[in-house]
Amino acid sequence: MYLQEKNISKRLVVKKDKLGEFRMLDKLEYEGYVGTVNYDKKADYYTGEVEIDGRIYTYEGDSLEELQEDFEDIVDSIIAFEDMGDDEDEEE
């Protein structure tokens, strides 16, 4: 878990990691997919988008951790859905 978050713009966030070093975060990565990170300072809310097979999926959260969780849930759901389709194709 990250110890500290700081908003430095609408799109970039600086995070302090376990070693105490600050890093900029402008994307999320999971299972080979890359999604965006957007921060709305007025709303104090994070959103993002990921493109999977030509479709745009959005995710959101009150914190970076929630944003990451929602991003991973979407990717996992798409992978599971694709796996279901693969299973049905094999049965035919």
Side-chain angles (χ1 to χ4, degrees):
M1 253 341 139
Y2 293 100
L3 303 175
Q4 186 176 3
E5 302 173 5
K6 282 187 177 179
N7 176 40
I8 61 170
S9 75
K10 282 195 169 197
R11 288 190 54 84
L12 296 178
V13 174
V14 173
K15 293 186 359 178
K16 190 173 184 180
D17 63 17
K18 291 180 182 179
L19 300 175
E21 297 178 8
F22 285 99
R23 295 187 297 132
M24 281 203 285
L25 178 72
D26 61 352
K27 64 182 177 180
L28 298 175
E29 297 181 42
Y30 180 69
E31 298 289 334
Y33 295 96
V34 178
T36 62
V37 174
N38 299 298
Y39 178 70
D40 184 327
K41 187 175 181 179
K42 287 183 181 180
D44 190 29
Y45 201 68
Y46 295 90
T47 61
E49 296 179 341
V50 60
E51 182 176 347
I52 301 174
D53 296 329
R55 294 187 175 164
I56 302 293
Y57 298 89
T58 60
Y59 43 92
E60 55 191 21
D62 289 322
S63 67
L64 288 172
E65 287 78 18
E66 284 184 18
L67 187 70
Q68 179 75 39
E69 287 173 15
D70 201 27
F71 172 64
E72 291 177 9
D73 287 346
I74 286 173
V75 171
D76 288 341
S77 294
I78 298 302
I79 291 171
F81 183 75
E82 288 175 349
D83 288 347
M84 285 178 22
D86 291 343
D87 292 343
E88 290 175 5
D89 290 343
E90 291 174 6
E91 291 175 8
E92 294 176 3

